[in-house]
Amino acid sequence: SQTIHQWPATLVQPVGSPLSLECTVEGTSNPNLYWYRQAAGRGLQLLFYSVGIGQISSEVPQNLSASRPQDRQFILSSKKLLLSDSGFYLCAWSSPSGGNTIYFGEGSWLTVV
Amino acid sequence: AQSVTQPDIHITVSEGASLELRCNYSYGATPYLFWYVQSPGQGLQLLLKYFSGDTLVQGIKGFEAEFKRSQSSFNLRKPSVHWSDAAEYFCAVEPGGYQKVTFGTGTKLQVIP
């Protein structure tokens, strides 16, 4: 069966420091990968999605970037964090062969202080 | 542009009572429809999904949802709520063919004894 893991689960970082959140998927090949951010009362905002290695699409302009160095690895990064980057970040995957169902990781709480 | 509306931000029900969470979407064709549940501080778990066929869909944890094309709705129901059902529920829509899912803003369910 397929599993998805993301880490760290919680992170407290000072303003201006870098960020790296990592996500890996097991049990499937060439998944579609996603990074979402969740803010209270605003639902889930899609930040990035990827359909293959090195292929990243950004949904919103922001202080963050994403990379996919390996087929089942998706990384969310920032060079300099802002206070507004605080939030709950969710990695997710879906099958490239159809089904359209998105499966989520456990989430990462980021607090920028 | 496609949109998903969950008109109820917060709902409180008594344990053992029935539950209905509303979801409306705006999209010309029949999209793929999903309901997810999120416990505090955790990722989203898929409850059920509708792609085609029978408009009444059964999911996990005793939940069901009914697709009504005429009303552009996909309401989630449960005949008898348990205290463990307290969580936030998200409706999601995907127009089909391209896996870009739009999420509603969520409904927080509180269950009282």
Side-chain angles (χ1 to χ4, degrees):
Chain A
S1 63
Q2 300 86 5
T3 58
I4 178 170
H5 300 287
Q6 64 177 102
W7 67 93
T10 59
L11 196 59
V12 180
Q13 292 285 98
V15 170
S17 65
L19 169 72
S20 181
L21 298 179
E22 191 165 340
C23 171
T24 59
V25 179
E26 298 178 359
T28 186
S29 296
N30 195 33
N32 298 317
L33 296 172
Y34 310 83
W35 277 111
Y36 285 86
R37 178 166 56 198
Q38 187 175 22
R42 297 178 61 183
L44 280 80
Q45 181 185 33
L46 178 62
L47 301 176
F48 301 95
Y49 67 93
S50 171
V51 298
I53 296 175
Q55 301 178 60
I56 310 293
S57 295
S58 174
E59 288 296 296
V60 292
Q62 58 204 321
N63 185 42
L64 302 169
S65 62
S67 61
R68 184 170 178 173
Q70 300 181 43
D71 180 45
R72 292 170 292 168
Q73 183 184 26
F74 205 26
I75 298 172
L76 183 68
S77 304
S78 173
K79 292 182 178 178
K80 290 185 177 182
L81 284 168
L82 305 172
L83 286 174
S84 58
D85 291 324
S86 294
F88 191 52
Y89 290 83
L90 290 155
C91 183
W93 73 276
S94 65
S95 170
S97 59
N100 304 75
T101 304
I102 292 183
Y103 300 95
F104 288 86
E106 307 93 337
S108 298
W109 278 107
L110 170 65
T111 303
V112 182
V113 296
Chain B
Q2 64 190 75
S3 66
V4 183
T5 302
Q6 293 181 247
D8 303 307
I9 297 173
H10 190 272
I11 283 183
T12 301
V13 299
S14 299
E15 190 168 15
S18 63
L19 171 70
E20 183 169 28
L21 302 182
R22 296 183 290 166
C23 174
N24 294 93
Y25 65 89
S26 63
Y27 191 72
T30 299
Y32 300 131
L33 300 160
F34 309 84
W35 275 101
Y36 289 84
V37 60
Q38 183 181 33
S39 296
Q42 297 185 21
L44 278 71
Q45 181 184 21
L46 179 69
L47 282 176
L48 48 78
K49 58 187 176 184
Y50 172 79
F51 289 171
S52 64
D54 192 346
T55 56
L56 185 62
V57 180
Q58 301 297 321
I60 62 171
K61 304 185 180 187
F63 285 92
E64 65 179 25
E66 185 172 12
F67 168 59
K68 293 186 177 180
R69 183 192 306 273
S70 61
Q71 299 178 19
S72 296
S73 69
F74 189 55
N75 294 348
L76 182 71
R77 302 195 294 247
K78 187 169 184 178
S80 178
V81 170
H82 188 262
W83 64 267
S84 61
D85 293 324
E88 191 159 16
Y89 293 80
F90 291 90
C91 180
V93 172
E94 200 272 280
Y98 182 58
Q99 300 184 17
K100 195 169 176 179
V101 177
T102 299
F103 286 84
T105 52
T107 298
K108 283 190 177 178
L109 173 65
Q110 181 182 9
V111 181
I112 57 177

